[in-house]
Amino acid sequence: AQSVTQPDIHITVSEGASLELRCNYSYGATPYLFWYVQSPGQGLQLLLKYFSGDTLVQGIKGFEAEFKRSQSSFNLRKPSVHWSDAAEYFCAVDPYSGGYQKVTFGTGTKLQVIP
Amino acid sequence: EAGVTQFPSHSVIEKGQTVTLRCDPISGHDNLYWYRRVMGKEIKFLLHFVKESKQDESGMPNNRFLAERTGGTYSTLKVQPAELEDSGVYFCASSSFGEGLNEQFFGPGTRLTVL
């Protein structure tokens, strides 16, 4: 069965500092990979996704993620964090087999941004 | 364009009572998904509708949960009778149906507390 691991439950960074959130997945083949963000009181918003091709994916709000097949990782990065980035971030995978989606999420990483 | 909406935003009930959660997907989206996040755990897939039909209900925890999508528009998720372990946040998502994997748009969730 597929699984997603986000080893960091909680991360605190200073505003303006760089950020990297880790994600590792376990699946027989390369699944579709996603990062979602949930701000307080909001639904999950898609930050970026990887299907194939260039392993460095650009997303919204200045985020990017790099797919590394050899490490089964899909880490999320941002060069300079803003206070509004404080939220919970979820990595997710989808094998997209049979033409229907079935997304598996990680446990999430809560990001705190300090002035 | 209105996003995915869920009602209620919060529900507090006692063990043994019945609760019905509602999800209104984005207009025209044939795919509708239910997910649940129990405190501190990952967001887990519950089931998937394609129009009014259940495509995949493998994530439904037990027969106390009943999901419906009459007419292929909004969906309800009923828990009867509710147990303490049903507490969590229930998310709904919808996506259009077409070639390839389409983005799931998530609602803000319903926080269910069973006392």
Side-chain angles (χ1 to χ4, degrees):
Chain A
Q2 62 205 42
S3 67
V4 181
T5 302
Q6 293 181 249
D8 304 306
I9 298 171
H10 197 157
I11 282 185
T12 300
V13 301
S14 299
E15 191 168 13
S18 63
L19 171 71
E20 182 168 31
L21 302 183
R22 296 180 290 166
C23 173
N24 291 91
Y25 66 90
S26 173
Y27 186 64
T30 300
Y32 294 91
L33 298 160
F34 308 87
W35 275 97
Y36 286 87
V37 60
Q38 186 183 19
S39 299
Q42 305 295 313
L44 292 161
Q45 182 182 21
L46 181 67
L47 281 176
L48 46 78
K49 59 191 175 191
Y50 173 77
F51 291 170
S52 64
D54 193 346
T55 57
L56 186 61
V57 181
Q58 301 298 319
I60 61 171
K61 304 186 180 187
F63 285 92
E64 67 178 25
E66 186 172 12
F67 167 61
K68 291 186 177 179
R69 185 189 305 274
S70 61
Q71 298 175 19
S72 296
S73 69
F74 190 55
N75 294 347
L76 181 71
R77 301 195 295 245
K78 187 169 184 178
S80 178
V81 169
H82 188 261
W83 64 266
S84 61
D85 293 324
E88 191 159 19
Y89 292 79
F90 296 90
C91 182
V93 304
D94 188 341
Y96 192 51
S97 60
Y100 292 105
Q101 296 175 245
K102 190 168 182 179
V103 180
T104 298
F105 288 88
T107 50
T109 298
K110 276 190 181 170
L111 173 65
Q112 181 182 11
V113 181
I114 57 177
Chain B
E1 179 184 312
V4 177
T5 57
Q6 293 186 245
F7 182 82
S9 56
H10 292 85
S11 180
V12 180
I13 61 172
E14 293 193 350
K15 176 182 170 182
Q17 289 186 320
T18 297
V19 64
T20 300
L21 314 180
R22 173 170 169 144
C23 168
D24 286 79
I26 292 172
S27 177
H29 280 189
D30 288 336
N31 292 301
L32 188 148
Y33 307 82
W34 283 99
Y35 296 86
R36 176 175 76 170
R37 189 185 191 198
V38 172
M39 178 80 75
K41 302 279 182 93
E42 68 271 29
I43 300 169
K44 280 197 169 178
F45 168 87
L46 295 179
L47 87 158
H48 170 206
F49 284 99
V50 177
K51 297 186 179 179
E52 66 276 7
S53 299
K54 290 175 187 173
Q55 174 63 33
D56 182 349
E57 53 183 329
S58 60
M60 294 287 263
N62 52 61
N63 59 12
R64 295 185 293 101
F65 289 75
L66 175 64
E68 295 179 321
R69 192 183 183 195
T70 308
T73 54
Y74 71 91
S75 173
T76 57
L77 180 64
K78 182 193 289 188
V79 186
Q80 180 182 29
E83 297 289 344
L84 299 179
E85 64 265 25
D86 300 332
S87 295
V89 181
Y90 291 76
F91 292 100
C92 175
S94 71
S95 70
S96 58
F97 199 66
E99 212 170 297
L101 188 150
N102 296 297
E103 179 182 344
Q104 292 188 29
F105 294 86
F106 283 79
T110 293
R111 183 174 295 277
L112 174 64
T113 303
V114 182
L115 302 175

